Amino acid sequence: DTAVSQTPKYLVTQMGNDKSIKCEQNLGHDTMYWYKQDSKKFLKIMFSYNNKELIINETVPNRFSPKSPDKAHLNLHINSLELGDSAVYFCASSYTGTGVLGYGYTFGSGTRLTVV
Amino acid sequence: GDSVTQMEGPVTLSEEAFLTINCTYTATGYPSLFWYVQYPGEGLQLLLKATKADDKGSNKGFEATYRKETTSFHLEKGSVQVSDSAVYFCALSKGGGSNYKLTFGKGTLLTVNP
């Protein structure tokens, strides 16, 4: 069973389009994240949700809108795609109860978004 | 704010060479420290971790020791293999509850040649 699964794995689309990436985890974790990895492999957090509540919202254009229908799912919708949005987007999940500082994340395999 | 600094890559080694990838951190309090590895075309996988000072994390022949006095968590392996070629990320976490997040370094690309 895949622990954190993202779909699609690859996404090629034209500028100005709207697209969504889906993420699901079956680990029973209570927090999910979206990270963006640029061409230099730098990872930057975008959002986190804890039990469907938005917790972390870094400086991200408001064209990006996360949605969490339940604690096992976190989707990312992107409006009016731009060339600079091309990157690999990773979903991750974690358990954030007290006393679990060393828990770490479990990552999905990533979605490579290419805007042409 | 919290930050992680890794040595710049890329690092290129021959098989069976000794590997060190330096990592230092800046954080208040007592963070947990991690090394993640990303193989080509894949997501990040947890390689090892340490949750308090002087702890040593180890896995697959890799080791790192949490040094609070030098705020470091350097990754080492005595004899690398071609299959170790990947990007390695040092990371820290601090605090708990719903604001829990990992802060990553910029990653170090390792290439091991046969």
Side-chain angles (χ1 to χ4, degrees):
Chain A
D1 279 347
T2 303
V4 180
S5 59
Q6 292 180 232
T7 54
K9 190 170 177 64
Y10 300 97
L11 184 54
V12 180
T13 187
Q14 292 188 326
M15 281 175 50
N17 284 350
D18 304 338
K19 291 293 178 185
S20 292
I21 306 171
K22 296 186 176 182
C23 179
E24 176 181 4
Q25 56 96 3
N26 63 4
L27 297 167
H29 289 165
D30 59 357
T31 302
M32 297 182 73
Y33 309 82
W34 280 111
Y35 275 77
K36 179 180 180 180
Q37 186 176 47
D38 63 23
S39 58
K40 295 185 178 180
K41 302 293 187 183
F42 183 59
L43 280 161
K44 182 174 172 56
I45 190 167
M46 301 173 69
F47 303 102
S48 76
Y49 269 76
N50 177 264
N51 285 320
K52 302 193 297 178
E53 181 185 353
L54 178 64
I55 301 298
I56 295 173
N57 185 354
E58 296 289 307
T59 307
V60 176
N62 58 15
R63 299 181 293 104
F64 291 78
S65 54
K67 283 189 172 51
S68 181
D70 57 60
K71 75 174 189 177
H73 295 84
L74 179 61
N75 303 322
L76 183 65
H77 188 76
I78 315 170
N79 290 328
S80 303
L81 277 154
E82 300 177 357
L83 293 176
D85 297 332
S86 296
V88 181
Y89 292 84
F90 285 102
C91 178
S93 70
S94 183
Y95 176 59
T96 57
T98 55
V100 290
L101 296 181
Y103 199 81
Y105 290 175
T106 301
F107 280 85
S109 57
T111 296
R112 181 174 294 277
L113 171 65
T114 304
V115 182
V116 297
Chain B
D2 299 340
S3 65
V4 176
T5 302
Q6 288 180 238
M7 64 186 286
E8 294 281 335
V11 174
T12 302
L13 297 173
S14 298
E15 209 164 21
E16 299 183 2
F18 184 85
L19 168 71
T20 300
I21 301 178
N22 290 338
C23 171
T24 58
Y25 67 89
T26 301
T28 57
Y30 302 93
S32 293
L33 302 173
F34 305 83
W35 278 100
Y36 279 81
V37 58
Q38 184 179 26
Y39 298 103
E42 298 184 13
L44 279 74
Q45 302 173 25
L46 179 63
L47 180 61
L48 53 83
K49 65 181 181 183
T51 58
K52 61 183 187 296
D54 299 325
D55 268 2
K56 177 186 283 189
S58 61
N59 186 25
K60 299 181 180 180
F62 291 90
E63 292 183 340
T65 301
Y66 189 146
R67 302 284 188 202
K68 191 162 178 62
E69 64 275 15
T70 54
T71 63
S72 65
F73 193 55
H74 304 321
L75 182 68
E76 296 182 337
K77 186 174 186 182
S79 176
V80 293
Q81 305 300 312
V82 172
S83 57
D84 294 326
S85 298
V87 180
Y88 291 82
F89 292 89
C90 186
L92 70 81
S93 70
K94 198 182 66 177
S98 59
N99 284 310
Y100 181 81
K101 73 173 185 179
L102 287 179
T103 300
F104 288 89
K106 293 189 175 182
T108 302
L109 173 64
L110 170 67
T111 301
V112 180
N113 295 318

